[in-house]
Amino acid sequence: QVQLQESGGGSVQSGGSLSLSCKASGDIPSNYCMGWIRQGPGKEREAVATIDSDGSAVYADSVKGRFTISRDKNTVNLQMNSLAPNDTAMYYCATDHCARVVVGIPQTWGQGTQVTVSS
């Protein structure tokens, strides 16, 4: 089973930008999606963005127009702009069949990277 390793994240002020990256240790099946799932303090898990091997992406309404997901084979990136305090969360890279990733229940997860947005 592949392992996922995230990088990026950190702390930023409201309105700022951050970029996350995730690299898989092996090949992701071509019928699998990769995506980013976040969980903030006291909040439910949220599938932020999901992308398939053709580059088709799905975004949560809460991040549309602000976040952009991209993928290059076994690497997935998340560019986050116009960040707000309610974007504060642990962000996890994930992969599985697209139907599982898009609803936030993938079988393969990274360890997560913290994003903190201050007002």
Side-chain angles (χ1 to χ4, degrees), residues 10 18 39-41 51-52 59 65 69 73 77 86 88-89 94 96:
L18 284 173
Q39 186 152 24
I51 189 167
D52 67 14
Y59 296 93
I69 190 170
K73 293 185 180 178
N77 303 301
N86 61 5
T88 294
D96 201 334

Side-chain angles (χ1 to χ4, degrees), residues 5-117:
Q5 181 63 58
E6 301 100 337
S7 61
S11 297
V12 67
Q13 289 191 327
S14 183
S17 298
L18 284 173
S19 181
L20 306 180
S21 185
C22 170
K23 184 174 176 61
S25 61
D27 289 336
I28 301 294
S30 60
N31 61 335
Y32 274 29
C33 276
M34 298 184 78
W36 292 92
I37 297 168
R38 69 183 180 185
Q39 186 152 24
K43 295 183 179 180
E44 292 187 355
R45 183 187 302 173
E46 180 180 33
V48 172
T50 303
I51 189 167
D52 67 14
S53 58
D54 293 328
S56 295
V58 175
Y59 296 93
D61 287 344
S62 59
V63 306
K64 282 180 181 176
R66 301 188 299 121
F67 290 13
T68 302
I69 190 170
S70 61
R71 179 176 175 181
D72 181 12
K73 293 185 180 178
N74 302 314
T75 299
V76 64
N77 303 301
L78 186 68
Q79 177 64 39
M80 305 182 292
N81 298 327
S82 301
L83 284 162
N86 61 5
D87 292 315
T88 294
M90 185 70 78
Y91 284 71
Y92 298 90
C93 178
T95 187
D96 201 334
H97 290 289
C98 298
R100 296 183 66 89
V101 178
V102 77
V103 295
I105 54 169
Q107 291 191 336
T108 303
W109 297 74
Q111 292 189 332
T113 185
Q114 179 69 35
V115 171
T116 302
V117 185

